[in-house]
Amino acid sequence: MAINNVTIIGAGTMGNGIAHIFAQSGYNVTLVDVSREALDKAVATITNNLARQVKKGTIIEADQSATIARIKTETQLAASVRTADFVVEAATERYDLKKEIFQTLDANAPEGVILATNTSSISVTELAATTKRASHVIGMHFFNPVPVMKLVEVIRGLATTDEVYATVKALSEQLGKTPVEVNDSPGFVSNRILMPMINEAIYCVMESVAKPEDIDTVMKLGMAHPMGPLALADFIGLDVCLAIMNVLHDGLGDTKYRACPLLKKMVAAGRLGKKSGEGFYKY
Ligand code: NAD
């Protein structure tokens, strides 16, 4: 099936970036959100980010207006997918919410249309099982900021067919990304490796092995990481880090994935990192 019309569900941090790259690659994009305010904000963000690309000389002004003209916004989920050729779901990370969205998508998207999810931690296999087209459900895990980051983890659910995987791989390449094939498993590859590293850095703080700035310096200068694990945790949000550690712990059943008590304590205190003004650093 030729892909021309792409529907993206959720116009937040990830949804606006995903809409940006699809529209810039020539697809007609319908961006859907329950919040009109989120949709307006997303279009403003995309416009600003394109303007920055024009300023840098990576695109010309005509590309900016053509890209914006290919994006329309919508608040009605069912109506938005009736003419879709491909769907990417990037709504809030809650299983009950995504389950409801996938059931609506399944009931309204044309037969054979692939339903992709950008979830960071929910099982693709489990989401697929809530639909009648499990073979056509797949994970397409982009990274923030989407227009800049090259990686897409393409997550195969248990029932995802080779043909569906090949379509999403080719599509990711067409968007200028590098897809990596990953089988559905808690945390996929990215968070399976990243989150225990962040959690271990938090144990080092809790056990007074070193101060947060010094732990970050070790990883930046010693391991050539662009950002230390604690600064990264603040950027991601400590609540998100805790939720992902819990997914790893529950899903893999190994005590090595237990969340650090200091991480739990900071989340309980509302010190969530950059978004709350304080985490391991003050903002
Ligand atoms: P966000 O909170 O910035 O945006 C989520 C958007 O979904 C909001 O605008 C909200 O109004 C909308 N929404 C909620 N319910 C909806 C519904 N029923 N229909 C349509 N829209 C609805 O969240 P985000 O950071 O963009 O994350 C979105 C998804 O991407 C999550 O699954 C998350 O795990 C994943 N993800 C996030 C990151 C990241 O760095 N933020 C990275 C990779 C993947």
Side-chain angles (χ1 to χ4, degrees):
M1 177 196 289
I3 296 175
N4 296 305
N5 301 324
V6 177
T7 297
I8 295 158
I9 324 293
T13 308
M14 297 304 287
N16 86 66
I18 297 167
H20 178 142
I21 58 164
F22 270 100
Q24 199 171 353
S25 302
Y27 296 94
N28 302 317
V29 170
T30 304
L31 185 57
V32 186
D33 204 291
V34 283
S35 152
R36 175 48 60 193
E37 201 188 331
L39 288 168
D40 293 342
K41 198 172 153 207
V43 173
T45 303
I46 297 167
T47 307
N48 286 340
N49 289 341
L50 287 165
R52 201 172 309 136
Q53 287 177 280
V54 172
K55 227 174 177 176
K56 272 202 210 153
T58 52
I59 61 169
I60 58 170
E61 235 172 288
D63 294 335
Q64 179 185 4
S65 43
T67 299
I68 288 294
R70 280 192 284 269
I71 301 174
K72 59 176 187 163
T73 58
E74 173 69 76
T75 53
Q76 299 304 313
L77 181 60
S80 75
V81 290
R82 291 203 182 109
T83 54
D85 306 318
F86 189 81
V87 179
V88 185
E89 173 278 317
T92 311
E93 186 77 341
R94 266 184 26 221
Y95 175 72
D96 55 336
L97 180 87
K98 289 195 194 278
K99 178 180 169 189
E100 202 181 311
I101 290 174
F102 267 76
Q103 287 176 338
T104 305
L105 294 175
D106 189 32
N108 291 281
E111 208 184 313
V113 164
I114 297 172
L115 309 178
T117 173
N118 184 49
T119 181
S120 302
S121 60
I122 293 169
S123 162
V124 173
T125 305
E126 214 174 315
L127 273 181
T130 67
T131 73
K132 294 190 182 75
R133 61 175 94 190
S135 60
H136 282 62
V137 175
I138 193 162
M140 204 174 181
H141 188 210
F142 291 93
F143 290 76
N144 184 26
V146 180
V148 177
M149 299 293 275
K150 287 282 175 209
L151 178 65
V152 181
E153 278 186 302
V154 182
I155 319 294
R156 300 184 65 138
L158 193 60
T160 309
T161 62
D162 290 343
E163 197 188 345
V164 167
Y165 169 73
T167 302
V168 175
K169 177 176 186 270
L171 186 58
S172 304
E173 283 164 351
Q174 228 194 328
L175 294 170
K177 303 297 180 197
T178 302
V180 171
E181 181 177 8
V182 178
N183 287 315
D184 189 24
S185 178
F188 314 137
V189 171
S190 50
N191 284 320
R192 170 88 173 253
I193 296 175
L194 175 66
M195 284 304 159
M197 183 190 72
I198 287 176
N199 198 49
E200 202 58 38
I202 302 172
Y203 268 109
C204 288
V205 178
M206 189 178 80
E207 294 170 11
S208 299
V209 178
K211 291 194 282 294
E213 315 75 272
D214 293 334
I215 293 167
D216 278 352
T217 300
V218 168
M219 298 307 285
K220 281 190 291 182
L221 301 188
M223 320 297 160
H225 288 197
M227 205 177 192
L230 298 166
L232 183 57
D234 275 0
F235 179 72
I236 293 169
L238 300 191
D239 51 340
V240 175
C241 294
L242 176 58
I244 297 175
M245 281 311 295
N246 288 338
V247 165
L248 293 176
H249 194 216
D250 294 347
L252 298 162
D254 190 323
T255 54
K256 74 178 176 181
Y257 298 111
R258 70 202 181 284
C260 175
L262 176 60
L263 173 60
K264 292 186 190 166
K265 203 195 257 184
M266 288 178 72
V267 172
R271 287 188 201 170
L272 306 182
K274 210 169 170 201
K275 64 184 163 193
S276 74
E278 187 177 357
F280 291 100
Y281 299 94
K282 283 204 163 74
Y283 299 90

